[in-house]
Amino acid sequence: MSTVQFLAEGAATPADFVAARQQMAFTLGFHIVLASIGIGLPALTLLAEWRSLRTGDRVYAELARRWMKAAGVLFAVGAVSGTVLSFEMGTLWPGFMDKYGQVFGGAFALEGIAFFIEAIFMGIYLYGWDRLSPRAHFLTGIPVVVAGILSATFVVTVNSWMNQPRGFNLVNGQVTDVSPLKAMLNPATPTEATHLILASLMVCGFLVASVYAVALLRDARAGRVDRYHRLGFAIPFTLGAVCAPLQVIVGDFASRFVASHQPAKFAAMEGIEHTQAGVPFKFATIEIPNMLSLMVKFDAHATLRGMDSIPADARPPAEVVKTSFEIMITLGMFLLALAAWWGFAWFVRRRALGRAGRLATRVDLPWKPWFLRLALTAGGAAILAMEAGWTTTEVGRQPWIVYGVMRTTEAVNPSSNLRYGLYAVLAVYAVLAAATISVLRRIRRRPDAGTPQSGPVPVGSAR
């Protein structure tokens, strides 16, 4: 788009427009990882604490303590990055906020309430170690998990609304008849919210497991077995493994929804250049005739719209969308394969309980170095898959900030020198990331040598 077009639409120069998009993409990409951990880590903590209460095993209690300490640190950092995103909505995209803020503002208000509930109970939970009874302490962690999921869901309703705007009417360019509830409950909300929650649990599960995979590999080289690290790996990896197949199912529903409601995005995702019947499925060098039509419409000869059916000025950047979509699918299949092997090994081990000999040795394969090396990469793969998925969603909606209603160029701040804000954010976030990693490395250190690795332990004791 030329500079003349930008100025005619009241937008910034092309360079500032790109900087605004890059800044939003970077801060959102940074924050979404923290948000995912904020959803998953409290859930892992409660699971470990519940097992500690049931078994009296000190290892579960130690894992719960360390995971919630890490969750507290990341919650604080996430609060900062989330606040930056809130300011960016107003400073970078004032046209969007000014015109449509009244439509989706209710979702942000509810997200704020959920955030405060999460913060309050996280403080109680962290302070309550050794001060509350074991059961009371466990119960204070439940609102942290529930509020974290609700907070993420309310935010996703805004993004889903941007993809499927509802709850208002436009009369002579003015927004009227606003219904925040209808806006939140738009058709895209169920699949987007479910997709994000599962993705968050997967990211957290595989990421935490990858940390313990490093320790297990070190233990294997030293010729020792450490139950603390084994449980620290098994609990989060199992969470990721359970979510992986569910995510594939939800992703299939999401793709069908996009095909029906956002044909331009779907055509870009699948690389459909021309509208045709019996569209083949293409992935990398693989091509299966008529398969995409069959997968989407359950009809091998169904017609799917291609990019040629979309006006040139309303087409998303197809190569970016297609590449990010393929990255997400490839990494998702890798994680699914790891999850399948973990589940198979668990099933075989369960059947082999009580038996001796070669079979008992054979079912110990998940702890072998080659499996742990693959599992070590699962955390990074899950993060990249999530980032690729968000790229597909956001870039695939372009050139619209509100699909079919408002273009992104109409929403951007008309001020010049927006790129300097990008430079400042990059510098600040680099320092923030370094400080966060430093603190987490201290928390990650294994328990003291004198700490018992098994046996009963009270999670908390009333004073």
Side-chain angles (χ1 to χ4, degrees):
M1 182 176 288
S2 67
T3 303
V4 174
Q5 288 175 296
F6 271 91
L7 295 176
E9 294 181 10
T13 64
D16 287 313
F17 176 69
V18 171
R21 293 185 65 183
Q22 289 175 337
Q23 181 176 335
M24 195 73 186
F26 174 78
T27 50
L28 179 60
F30 186 97
H31 178 73
I32 196 171
V33 177
L34 297 173
S36 298
I37 298 173
I39 293 172
L41 205 49
L44 287 173
T45 300
L46 281 193
L47 178 59
E49 185 174 359
W50 174 73
R51 290 295 298 164
S52 177
L53 291 173
R54 289 289 301 271
T55 64
D57 193 331
R58 181 178 292 275
V59 175
Y60 288 112
E62 181 63 31
L63 287 169
R65 280 179 179 267
R66 288 174 180 274
W67 286 345
M68 206 56 176
K69 286 180 182 178
V73 172
L74 294 172
F75 180 84
V77 179
V80 174
S81 61
T83 302
V84 171
L85 277 171
S86 299
F87 280 113
E88 286 178 346
M89 293 289 286
T91 58
L92 297 179
W93 314 104
F96 171 60
M97 296 295 291
D98 181 59
K99 190 165 188 176
Y100 292 105
Q102 58 183 313
V103 182
F104 58 80
F108 278 146
L110 291 174
E111 188 275 336
I113 294 173
F115 172 82
F116 284 126
I117 293 174
E118 183 182 9
I120 290 169
F121 278 94
M122 180 171 285
I124 295 172
Y125 186 91
L126 289 171
Y127 184 76
W129 284 106
D130 303 321
R131 291 177 173 85
L132 299 174
S133 69
R135 185 178 297 275
H137 185 264
F138 175 79
L139 292 176
T140 61
I142 295 177
V144 179
V145 177
V146 175
I149 293 175
L150 288 176
S151 179
T153 301
F154 290 136
V155 171
V156 172
T157 63
V158 177
N159 184 267
S160 61
W161 174 84
M162 293 165 70
N163 285 286
Q164 291 295 306
R166 297 289 191 278
F168 68 97
N169 289 319
L170 275 179
V171 179
N172 297 323
Q174 299 298 314
V175 176
T176 62
D177 302 323
V178 174
S179 174
L181 185 60
K182 288 183 179 179
M184 291 174 58
L185 300 179
N186 64 82
T189 291
T191 52
E192 275 205 33
T194 306
H195 203 52
L196 175 75
I197 298 303
L198 287 174
S200 299
L201 294 174
M202 281 181 62
V203 166
C204 183
F206 286 127
L207 183 61
V208 174
S210 66
V211 174
Y212 288 91
V214 175
L216 287 170
L217 285 169
R218 184 183 63 236
D219 290 346
R221 286 193 296 268
R224 64 172 181 262
V225 176
D226 190 329
R227 186 164 179 271
Y228 171 81
H229 289 128
R230 280 201 173 199
L231 285 178
F233 175 87
I235 296 172
F237 196 88
T238 300
L239 175 66
V242 169
C243 292
L246 298 176
Q247 185 70 308
V248 172
I249 296 172
V250 175
D252 180 66
F253 279 103
S255 295
R256 296 180 199 282
F257 181 87
V258 171
S260 299
H261 294 83
Q262 290 181 288
K265 179 187 291 188
F266 186 77
M269 287 164 49
E270 298 291 353
I272 307 174
E273 296 182 2
H274 305 287
T275 301
Q276 59 181 309
V279 181
F281 172 79
K282 298 178 181 179
F283 190 85
T285 59
I286 302 172
E287 181 172 340
I288 305 175
N290 300 339
M291 181 55 70
L292 188 60
S293 291
L294 181 62
M295 292 168 63
V296 175
K297 300 292 186 179
F298 301 106
D299 180 359
H301 303 288
T303 299
L304 299 179
R305 292 179 62 181
M307 294 295 286
D308 61 350
S309 68
I310 311 298
D313 65 346
R315 297 174 186 171
E319 284 303 316
V320 175
V321 178
K322 186 174 186 296
T323 300
S324 60
F325 181 67
E326 289 184 345
I327 290 173
M328 180 187 68
I329 295 299
T330 301
L331 294 174
M333 290 300 101
F334 166 70
L335 295 173
L336 182 63
L338 279 180
W341 176 243
W342 179 256
F344 172 77
W346 177 86
F347 174 76
V348 173
R349 181 183 286 108
R350 292 283 294 182
R351 295 192 61 181
L353 284 177
R355 299 180 186 177
R358 241 168 44 181
L359 180 59
T361 302
R362 207 179 287 164
V363 298
D364 201 39
L365 279 175
W367 303 111
K368 296 299 182 181
W370 67 266
F371 178 84
L372 292 174
R373 291 189 187 99
L374 290 175
L376 191 153
T377 67
I383 291 174
L384 288 176
M386 171 173 270
E387 300 287 6
W390 270 106
T391 301
T392 303
T393 298
E394 297 303 288
V395 178
R397 191 181 61 245
Q398 299 304 314
W400 308 100
I401 191 169
V402 183
Y403 186 68
V405 177
M406 172 181 272
R407 291 177 179 267
T408 310
T409 50
E410 299 175 82
V412 71
N413 192 327
S415 301
S416 59
N417 299 323
L418 293 179
R419 60 188 179 279
Y420 294 116
L422 171 62
Y423 303 152
V425 164
L426 291 174
V428 171
Y429 273 54
V431 175
L432 185 64
T436 303
I437 293 172
S438 176
V439 173
L440 291 177
R441 283 175 63 87
R442 293 177 178 272
I443 295 176
R444 191 196 67 175
R445 291 174 182 169
R446 60 180 294 159
D448 296 335
T451 302
Q453 292 296 296
S454 62
V457 61
V459 174
S461 57
R463 288 186 173 179

